[in-house]
Amino acid sequence: MKQTRKKLWGGRFSTTTADSVEAFTASIAVDSRLYRHDIMGSIAHAKMLGKQRIIPLRDAQKIVRGLLAIEREIDRGKFEFSPADEDIHMNIERRLTEKIGRAGGKLHTARSRNDQVALDMRLYLRDEVAEILRLLGTLQQELAKAAKKHLDVIMPGYTHLQRAQPVLLSHHLLAYYDMFERDRERYAGCLARINVLPLGSGAIAGTTFPIDRLYVAKLLGFPRISKNSIDAVSDRDFLLEFLSVSSILFVHLSRFADELVLWSSQEFAFVELPDGYCTGSSMMPQKKNPDVPELIRGKTGRVFGHLLGLLTIMKGLPLAYNRDLQEDKVPLFDGADTVKASVKIMAEIVRGLKVRRERMLAAARDGFMNATDLADYLVERDMPFRQAHEVSGKIVQRCIGLGKRIEELSLAELRVFSNKIEKDIYNYLSPASVVGRRRALGGTSKSNVVRRLKELGV
Ligand code: ARG
């Protein structure tokens, strides 16, 4: 067996780790991307150790300088990560001692990798959530701008994917704005629980050294510190919450993506996706495929999978730290990467979306979507709604037989069903007036959409 490097924790072992075990347990390939946050946390810890005179101030200063130099090495790709050192924490600590000598061995005083990794994950995720909040804001701005640009465009609103009532495209787009607003609220809510300092909990029970956790919290910008060391090292709720919130976001993204796929099909032909965001087929020369929305829809499976994966890792895990927890990295990293990439590209798609207003309007004219309004018209002329519903239904039935729209029947033909119908019915049933009458708050009338856009500052 190849002689592996002596471990930083190797004191009580008489033989070296088996190669297979080393390969199996190492996480450096995955967690090396925590290096900036790991170093940031270690610098705060070292400063605190110095301030509290737990280690000499001079050693603390040496450690800080050494860590900053290591950060530069990694930034420049000059650092050699080694699986023999398992993870990012020990890779950095090993290098620190190489660089500054015995003072490097003092960094880990009053600390365990258990509270260290919990800290790194929180620092990392805090930045990711801030970035996601920003990207979601951009997507919302693009939706609002598109709504403003296409303010008057009328399209069929669907229920059961059957034409239901005409709506403004702008109203439909702003529905997504509101979904993403709730997603942002959820991320902001979860940020408050991510933003808690776990460092100082040691391996499980806390530490005997006179550390100053509030000082570390202040250095790292944590408004709160954890109150129970056992909980602090074993809790991954903040990751579960992040993945839950991200899953809900992906419910929204995938619904939107699916509509873009449908709408860009030749059957709908409501929109055209920008050329730069579509791909062709290697076989069929005529194809322009909506791969980006398809992939967003497909990536939903990954994010849901990561949530379920982590839930499964956490379920039934005895307190406190268990190595199982190392498996939280892939769900977090891949989950956050997937969210960021998808939100970003969705915003670009919205920005470049071409709307075929004549196709949408034509579709909105078909399908008897003004039948509710015909009933409302009769109600306004004192017919009970139930009876008006019946009359309108009969008229639709007649139209289906004749292959005509309601407004294509003559007044005489309409009056066979009710003599309350007058010639003002034709204007009443036009898509624009059907939409325009939905002025009750939250409805699709242009006046409502204009007010909403004003509220949003667009
Ligand atoms: N790489 C480990 C992880 O990600 C760090 C903590 C290791 N702690 C331990 N007791 N082995 O969870």
Side-chain angles (χ1 to χ4, degrees):
M1 191 205 279
K2 185 192 80 191
Q3 191 59 26
T4 57
R5 237 199 270 198
K6 179 151 169 35
K7 301 294 181 214
L8 293 181
W9 40 251
R12 61 99 64 216
F13 289 82
S14 47
T15 61
T16 54
T17 314
D19 285 356
S20 58
V21 172
E22 195 166 282
F24 191 72
T25 56
S27 57
I28 187 64
V30 173
D31 64 21
S32 62
R33 67 152 96 184
L34 288 172
Y35 77 92
R36 284 210 181 88
H37 299 96
D38 192 73
I39 287 173
M40 180 191 298
S42 288
I43 287 176
H45 183 64
K47 284 184 175 165
M48 182 279 292
L49 292 176
K51 177 181 89 72
Q52 297 298 94
R53 301 292 188 269
I54 297 170
I55 64 174
L57 212 48
R58 275 192 30 247
D59 285 344
Q61 288 161 349
K62 260 194 189 168
I63 291 172
V64 171
R65 278 197 301 273
L67 287 169
L68 289 172
I70 292 171
E71 185 172 18
R72 283 192 297 273
E73 285 176 11
I74 304 178
D75 280 344
R76 289 202 222 99
K78 293 273 185 293
F79 188 100
E80 223 178 285
F81 293 109
S82 159
D85 288 326
E86 274 186 43
D87 55 25
I88 185 62
H89 323 297
M90 291 203 293
N91 267 270
I92 289 175
E93 195 186 320
R94 155 97 55 191
R95 180 78 184 120
L96 183 66
T97 302
E98 258 170 40
K99 283 175 89 75
I100 68 168
R102 70 187 289 279
K106 297 187 179 181
L107 168 61
H108 213 52
T109 313
R111 186 175 75 169
S112 154
R113 275 187 296 156
N114 298 353
D115 55 351
Q116 185 180 359
V117 74
L119 171 67
D120 290 5
M121 296 294 272
R122 287 172 182 274
L123 285 170
Y124 184 88
L125 187 54
R126 188 167 82 167
D127 285 352
E128 294 295 279
V129 170
E131 174 67 359
I132 290 168
L133 284 170
R134 198 187 61 75
L135 292 168
L136 273 174
T138 306
L139 173 55
Q140 287 179 297
Q141 281 316 301
E142 291 301 339
L143 283 166
K145 276 195 252 163
K148 186 169 182 183
K149 184 164 155 203
H150 306 296
L151 184 62
D152 289 312
V153 175
I154 295 175
M155 62 174 273
Y158 296 84
T159 64
H160 314 266
L161 200 55
Q162 306 288 325
R163 288 179 190 163
Q165 293 180 332
V167 294
L168 290 181
L169 169 64
S170 48
H171 193 53
H172 191 106
L173 292 174
L174 290 181
Y176 285 108
Y177 185 104
D178 285 356
M179 291 175 233
F180 295 136
E181 185 64 19
R182 291 194 298 279
D183 291 321
R184 276 176 15 120
E185 286 169 16
R186 273 184 284 269
Y187 277 116
C190 116
L191 194 51
R193 281 173 294 281
I194 295 169
N195 229 349
V196 180
L197 175 85
L199 199 69
S201 304
I204 172 168
T207 172
T208 54
F209 292 98
I211 58 173
D212 183 350
R213 297 187 64 204
L214 292 173
Y215 176 71
V216 176
K218 201 168 132 221
L219 289 180
L220 294 173
F222 282 106
R224 292 191 285 158
I225 67 172
S226 59
K227 297 192 171 73
N228 183 303
S229 60
I230 300 175
D231 180 40
V233 291
S234 58
D235 161 43
R236 294 293 183 274
D237 294 5
F238 64 103
L239 297 181
L240 288 173
E241 214 177 327
F242 171 75
L243 290 171
S244 312
V245 169
S246 300
S247 295
I248 299 174
L249 165 65
F250 261 90
V251 169
H252 299 150
L253 285 172
S254 66
R255 295 180 81 172
F256 191 25
D258 187 70
E259 293 199 322
L260 292 175
V261 172
L262 270 179
W263 290 3
S264 60
S265 70
Q266 281 162 44
E267 282 65 25
F268 276 80
F270 283 179
V271 298
E272 217 183 295
L273 300 178
D275 265 3
Y277 290 80
C278 292
T279 59
S281 155
S282 57
M283 183 186 196
M284 300 165 283
Q286 83 284 9
K287 293 278 283 199
K288 175 174 165 183
N289 294 328
D291 300 45
V292 173
E294 288 173 277
L295 278 170
I296 293 174
R297 193 175 56 186
K299 284 174 193 293
T300 306
R302 278 199 200 212
V303 177
F304 290 8
H306 290 322
L307 171 60
L308 203 64
L310 189 60
L311 283 167
T312 311
I313 291 167
M314 298 309 295
K315 179 191 172 294
L317 211 56
L319 299 183
Y321 181 84
N322 298 270
R323 193 64 180 268
D324 313 44
L325 293 179
Q326 181 167 289
E327 291 295 314
D328 64 358
K329 308 283 176 310
V330 170
L332 168 64
F333 296 152
D334 189 66
D337 289 349
T338 306
V339 169
K340 285 187 299 180
S342 303
V343 172
K344 184 164 185 290
I345 204 155
M346 188 59 112
E348 294 173 27
I349 296 256
V350 174
R351 188 178 316 141
L353 200 63
K354 283 203 202 85
V355 169
R356 301 185 60 182
R357 61 185 297 147
E358 72 307 329
R359 286 278 314 174
M360 287 192 167
L361 183 62
R365 287 189 191 284
D366 286 333
F368 310 105
M369 287 194 293
N370 46 13
T372 313
D373 289 69
L374 173 54
D376 290 351
Y377 175 93
L378 295 168
V379 168
E380 282 173 21
R381 281 148 192 81
D382 199 36
M383 189 182 283
F385 179 73
R386 265 303 140 230
Q387 189 189 342
H389 186 284
E390 173 81 11
V391 170
S392 180
K394 289 275 177 247
I395 293 177
V396 167
Q397 192 182 41
R398 177 102 186 101
C399 286
I400 293 171
L402 294 171
K404 285 182 171 178
R405 299 186 179 124
I406 299 173
E407 59 277 21
E408 284 168 354
L409 297 185
S410 70
L411 190 56
E413 283 173 298
L414 286 168
R415 285 177 65 90
V416 170
F417 296 89
S418 166
N419 59 12
K420 289 182 188 292
I421 300 178
E422 310 281 351
K423 71 172 190 303
D424 61 351
I425 190 68
Y426 295 104
N427 182 43
Y428 195 95
L429 292 183
S430 78
S433 34
V434 167
V435 165
R437 267 194 304 277
R438 281 164 171 78
R439 278 185 296 267
L441 291 181
T444 190
S445 74
K446 181 170 165 185
S447 55
N448 276 337
V449 175
V450 167
R451 183 170 345 103
R452 182 73 181 125
L453 286 172
K454 225 177 250 152
E455 248 171 51
L456 302 178
V458 188

